[in-house]
Each structure stands twice: as C-alpha cells, then as structure tokens.
Amino acid sequence: MANVSVFNMEGKEVGTLELNDAVFGVEVNEHLVHMAVVAQLANKRQGTQKAKTRSEVSGGGRKPWRQKGTGHARQGSTRAPQWTGGGMVFAPVPRDYTIRLNKKEKRLALKSALTSRVQEGKFIVLDELTLNEIKTKNFVNVMKNLNVAKALVVLGENNENVVRSARNVADVKTALVNTINVYDILKYNTVVATKAAVAAIEEVYA
C-alpha cells in the first residue's frame, strides 16, 4: 500500500496515511481514462446546432431566368447554395453526442486517474480544511502553504465557507466525493483531499 504524507493547513507534515491499493494502487488503464475523458466532453455538448438546407430557406420558388439564350449559367433557384441567401449544402442538424460507458469502466477509469496522481506525487492529503469565515485570502494562504497552484480540492462534506472562499480563485475547483470525475482529476495539476474525503473515496470505490 502507498503511504502519503498528511499536512495541516499551515503546510506542515503532521503524519502519514496508508492508501487502499484497491483504489489508489490499481494498474493504470490509459485507454479507459481516455475513453472517460472523451465521453465526458462529448456528453457536455448540447447538439442543438442547426442550419437550413436549400429545401428549408424561404423564397426561390421560380427559375431566375430562362434555361438558354441569356449568356448566364443555367440556374434553377436563387436559394441554391451558390447564391447569397441560399441554403447550406451539408447543413448541421440537431444530434445527440452522448457516449456511454458502463459502471465498471467508469470506476476503473476513476481509479486509474487517482492512481496516476498518487504515482506522480501530485496527491496531497490534508488532515482537515476548515475556515471560520468566507474569505478568499484565507483559502489562498492555505494553497500557498501547500505550495499548490492549479488544484482540485476534494472535500469529505460540504463546507460552505471553504467552497465560497475558493469560488473566486483562478485554477482551483472544489468538489465533493460524489462529484469527482476523471476529467477534473487530470485537468488540475494537483489533487488536494482531506482525510475524510480519502476515507469516503475508499469506502465508495474499494
């Protein structure tokens, strides 16, 4: 089992924590991680884009000039794609971009992402993360003490003071255990988790 240092909010090491290999020590499956990221980004797409084809634009009911004898190229409608105001040739239409992964694939992808962060030394455990008031400066100081810039902060339970203090900090995102995902784990340079959050993750995914 991997051992990681536990820090307090002042950035001082106050102990160690043994991580469960069933969650933080699996064999990293890069293919599944890639699939999970692609699926998440695809599922965010609304798919509501739409443009009109030549059959849908208004006007153009009559032939603009006779077929022969004018010197112009033959034309059947002023709403053909080559005309200004005409329809689009292969117009986009509303579609569903959803990509589905089964539960086992999702779980293994998440475990792989967490394991990769531990292996890279980019998984920091805090003994606790509490703030007495909603103050961005206090939260920034905690991040500075940990020497962390771009981070995903995982909380064991919802703490409004922490969440609202971190809301205005660039490159920092807070998340609860049930909302973490592969994309966010990989997007941010470091994962900062409280001991309570680590215990909850192990309970859910082990």
Side-chain angles (χ1 to χ4, degrees):
M1 290 189 174
N3 281 312
V4 293
S5 299
V6 178
F7 299 90
N8 60 18
M9 290 169 58
E10 285 73 45
K12 296 176 182 176
E13 187 174 337
V14 293
T16 59
L17 180 67
E18 200 173 76
L19 299 176
N20 191 338
D21 280 347
V23 179
F24 297 98
V26 301
E27 184 180 344
V28 177
N29 189 324
E30 292 184 3
H31 175 62
L32 269 185
V33 171
H34 177 261
M35 284 175 59
V37 171
V38 170
Q40 187 174 340
L41 294 178
N43 296 346
K44 281 183 176 181
R45 298 184 69 176
Q46 286 185 310
T48 54
Q49 71 277 43
K50 175 75 174 76
K52 292 182 178 181
T53 63
R54 63 181 298 171
S55 65
E56 295 169 318
V57 290
S58 61
R62 61 185 288 272
K63 198 171 168 64
W65 50 73
R66 57 197 173 92
Q67 181 82 344
K68 293 178 176 292
T70 63
H72 295 300
R74 53 194 174 187
Q75 300 290 335
S77 169
T78 57
R79 289 298 175 256
Q82 72 270 22
W83 285 73
T84 300
M88 205 170 171
V89 181
F90 297 112
V93 293
R95 54 169 287 194
D96 183 10
Y97 288 95
T98 302
I99 297 174
R100 291 180 175 84
L101 299 180
N102 62 45
K103 287 182 180 179
K104 285 186 178 180
E105 288 174 329
K106 289 178 183 177
R107 289 172 70 91
L108 185 53
L110 189 68
K111 290 179 183 180
S112 294
L114 289 170
T115 298
S116 69
R117 281 290 175 249
V118 173
Q119 291 175 350
E120 294 164 1
K122 295 180 178 178
F123 189 85
I124 296 175
V125 179
L126 277 173
D127 59 347
E128 63 175 357
L129 181 55
T130 56
L131 297 175
N132 296 326
E133 58 181 335
I134 300 170
K135 200 169 182 68
T136 300
K137 186 177 179 180
N138 293 346
F139 181 85
V140 170
N141 287 336
V142 173
M143 293 294 103
K144 284 181 179 177
N145 292 339
L146 296 171
N147 196 24
V148 169
K150 190 174 182 181
L152 174 67
V153 180
V154 185
L155 305 172
E157 57 184 20
N158 191 28
N159 186 319
E160 188 177 1
N161 285 358
V162 174
V163 172
R164 293 182 65 179
S165 296
R167 186 182 295 172
N168 205 31
V169 181
D171 294 331
V172 169
K173 179 178 180 179
T174 57
L176 296 176
V177 172
N178 61 347
T179 63
I180 58 174
N181 58 74
V182 175
Y183 178 71
D184 282 343
I185 292 171
L186 299 180
K187 176 182 177 182
Y188 295 92
N189 294 339
T190 310
V191 176
V192 178
T194 62
K195 284 180 71 174
V198 173
I201 289 171
E202 291 180 342
E203 184 179 344
V204 172
Y205 295 101

